[in-house]
Amino acid sequence: MDASASTGERADTARLFNPLKIGQLEIRNRLAVAPMTRVSATEAGHATARMSDYYGGFAEGGFGLVITEGLYTDQLFSQGYLFQPGLSDDVQRDAWKPIVERVHAGGARFVAQLMHAGALGQGNRFRDDTRGPSAIRPVGHQMAFYRGSGVYPLPVEMTKAEIDEAIAGFAAAAVRACEAGFDGVEIHGANGYLLDQFLTEGVNIRTDAYGGGAAARLRITLETVEAVRAAVGPDSTVGVRSSQGKVNDFVHKWRGEDEAAEIYGLLGRLPIDYLHTTEFEAWRPAFTDGPSLASLAKHHSGLPVLANGSLHDLERATELLSEHQVDMITLGRGALTHADWPHRVAQGTALAEFDRRILSPLADLDNADRVQSTK
């Protein structure tokens, strides 16, 4: 039994079940499912009936908000993984419609996360090469549990035309998300993918308008948000995910609180409804000491903040909410362990430890089913 189970009786969990409004979105509680790559779509990127059970189970288990795994946005360079779902055409859009209906029937809101892998692409059925802000090979190795192997390919530096194509892809995918019935979209600006690559010093060494200081490195994110908002209109919910660490560089840090203040101040001026921060342990100081990344995001942006990072620890989750550092908790490992995590917490039922076999050797739903069948 993990720490979340042992602290369940002490933690004041009532705050987790207060309703919340983000933009025009009414959400029944403060518990959300974080985006988690599951590489379980068809080869053509179509969502499946098994994925409907997966996402629908979270809604039926009591989560107020469900955020999809990253969905690739175009048929150029955005796809990151084989069997990744997309929103790059109308057939992919239509495959999501029954899943959206299932999640809504379970009482949850549903947000599509839009993702461009950039230089971290390790499986793209449309292209054999990758694009990034600069021709610099990403650190680390491709992820075996997403069917990758070896070092990342050396990306080609994006031209201005290719940057514009990527931004247009986000906007078009956002429109398809709305047409599929999603309640909003989350723009993936975290974890080392394309928008985060542009923000990251040493990865982005451009000398044009998209390189240099933090504001210039954030420019593609700002332009993407503006394009998405213009495409979906004022009533759709739009969020941005943000992080320091990356899937290929867990320990990366920004320059400090001043740079974080600049980044979140700029994001706070955008026509978005929330920020979603992710760290390994969301309550830890973002830097050597001081506030957490989530707290910095909330303070400097003035926006509602969703926080992700080991918050299946009930005491830590309720502490962040009670101290008004964040507005909502998003769970990854906790949700994978128990799709009905909110119901279990509300009823005082014990919570099991996360079983790492769920993500090994492949982080897909077939493997998860095999693990469950052995219990």
Side-chain angles (χ1 to χ4, degrees), residues 243-257:
S243 73
Q244 296 189 95
K246 295 116 180 32
V247 294
N248 64 316
D249 184 0
F250 297 137
V251 299
H252 177 81
K253 296 288 185 182
W254 297 338
R255 285 179 173 261
E257 284 193 38

Side-chain angles (χ1 to χ4, degrees), residues 169-239:
F170 275 98
V175 171
R176 292 189 192 98
C178 292
E179 293 170 344
F182 282 101
D183 298 295
V185 297
E186 178 174 288
I187 296 167
H188 201 344
N191 300 116
Y193 298 114
L194 181 70
L195 302 186
D196 190 33
Q197 289 162 29
F198 270 85
L199 181 59
T200 303
E201 287 187 285
V203 174
N204 176 357
I205 59 170
R206 300 175 72 98
T207 57
D208 63 2
Y210 294 92
R217 288 182 277 113
L218 195 62
R219 179 176 177 176
I220 188 174
T221 301
L222 308 182
E223 292 181 350
T224 298
V225 168
E226 295 285 1
V228 166
R229 176 56 78 192
V232 301
D235 295 330
S236 294
T237 298
V238 177

Side-chain angles (χ1 to χ4, degrees), residues 8-331:
E9 294 181 358
R10 302 198 306 268
D12 178 12
T13 60
R15 294 179 184 275
L16 297 173
F17 298 95
N18 290 336
L20 176 66
K21 185 174 183 180
I22 296 178
Q24 302 300 312
L25 207 55
E26 301 276 358
I27 305 172
R28 63 185 172 186
N29 58 39
R30 305 298 179 101
L31 295 168
V33 177
M36 292 177 283
T37 300
R38 303 314 307 273
V39 290
S40 298
T42 69
E43 187 175 5
H46 303 151
T48 66
R50 177 64 186 90
M51 291 169 63
S52 183
D53 291 337
Y54 169 72
Y55 284 112
F58 295 129
E60 292 148 15
F63 284 95
L65 175 67
V66 180
I67 307 172
T68 71
E69 60 208 279
L71 311 180
Y72 65 85
T73 53
D74 62 43
Q75 298 184 1
L76 297 167
F77 299 99
S78 68
Q79 185 176 358
Y81 306 110
L82 299 176
F83 299 95
Q84 178 187 2
L87 271 175
S88 70
D89 61 34
D90 291 350
V91 180
Q92 290 178 344
R93 174 201 64 195
D94 292 346
W96 279 105
K97 289 181 178 178
I99 304 179
V100 173
E101 292 175 0
R102 172 82 177 268
V103 170
H104 284 162
R109 299 297 191 175
F110 205 15
V111 165
Q113 189 190 68
L114 307 180
M115 169 185 151
H116 191 304
L120 294 189
Q122 61 178 49
N124 184 342
R125 68 190 180 96
F126 305 105
R127 297 289 187 274
D128 293 327
D129 55 354
T130 59
R131 294 293 185 272
S134 302
I136 294 178
R137 190 185 305 277
V139 302
H141 289 74
Q142 298 180 45
M143 291 169 281
F145 50 85
Y146 295 148
R147 300 185 176 90
S149 64
V151 299
Y152 288 96
L154 179 68
V156 175
E157 181 176 305
M158 295 178 80
T159 65
K160 178 61 168 66
E162 288 171 333
I163 291 172
D164 291 342
E165 287 175 336
I167 293 170
F170 275 98
V175 171
R176 292 189 192 98
C178 292
E179 293 170 344
F182 282 101
D183 298 295
V185 297
E186 178 174 288
I187 296 167
H188 201 344
N191 300 116
Y193 298 114
L194 181 70
L195 302 186
D196 190 33
Q197 289 162 29
F198 270 85
L199 181 59
T200 303
E201 287 187 285
V203 174
N204 176 357
I205 59 170
R206 300 175 72 98
T207 57
D208 63 2
Y210 294 92
R217 288 182 277 113
L218 195 62
R219 179 176 177 176
I220 188 174
T221 301
L222 308 182
E223 292 181 350
T224 298
V225 168
E226 295 285 1
V228 166
R229 176 56 78 192
V232 301
D235 295 330
S236 294
T237 298
V238 177
V240 172
R241 199 177 207 215
S242 168
S243 73
Q244 296 189 95
K246 295 116 180 32
V247 294
N248 64 316
D249 184 0
F250 297 137
V251 299
H252 177 81
K253 296 288 185 182
W254 297 338
R255 285 179 173 261
E257 284 193 38
D258 288 346
E259 186 168 65
E262 181 179 6
I263 290 167
Y264 288 126
L266 289 167
L267 291 173
R269 299 176 197 167
L270 293 173
I272 57 175
D273 300 296
Y274 72 85
L275 288 171
H276 183 185
T277 62
T278 179
E279 298 269 77
F280 179 67
E281 293 178 323
W283 61 88
R284 298 286 186 192
F287 303 102
T288 304
D289 52 25
S292 66
L293 190 69
S295 181
L296 288 168
K298 186 169 179 63
H299 176 72
H300 293 291
S301 74
L303 293 166
V305 169
L306 285 57
N308 171 255
S310 304
L311 291 174
H312 50 276
D313 183 320
L314 275 171
E315 196 163 18
R316 296 294 188 180
T318 54
E319 180 181 322
L320 284 178
L321 284 174
S322 64
E323 294 178 356
H324 306 291
Q325 295 185 49
V326 304
D327 300 276
M328 196 169 203
I329 302 299
T330 74
L331 301 182

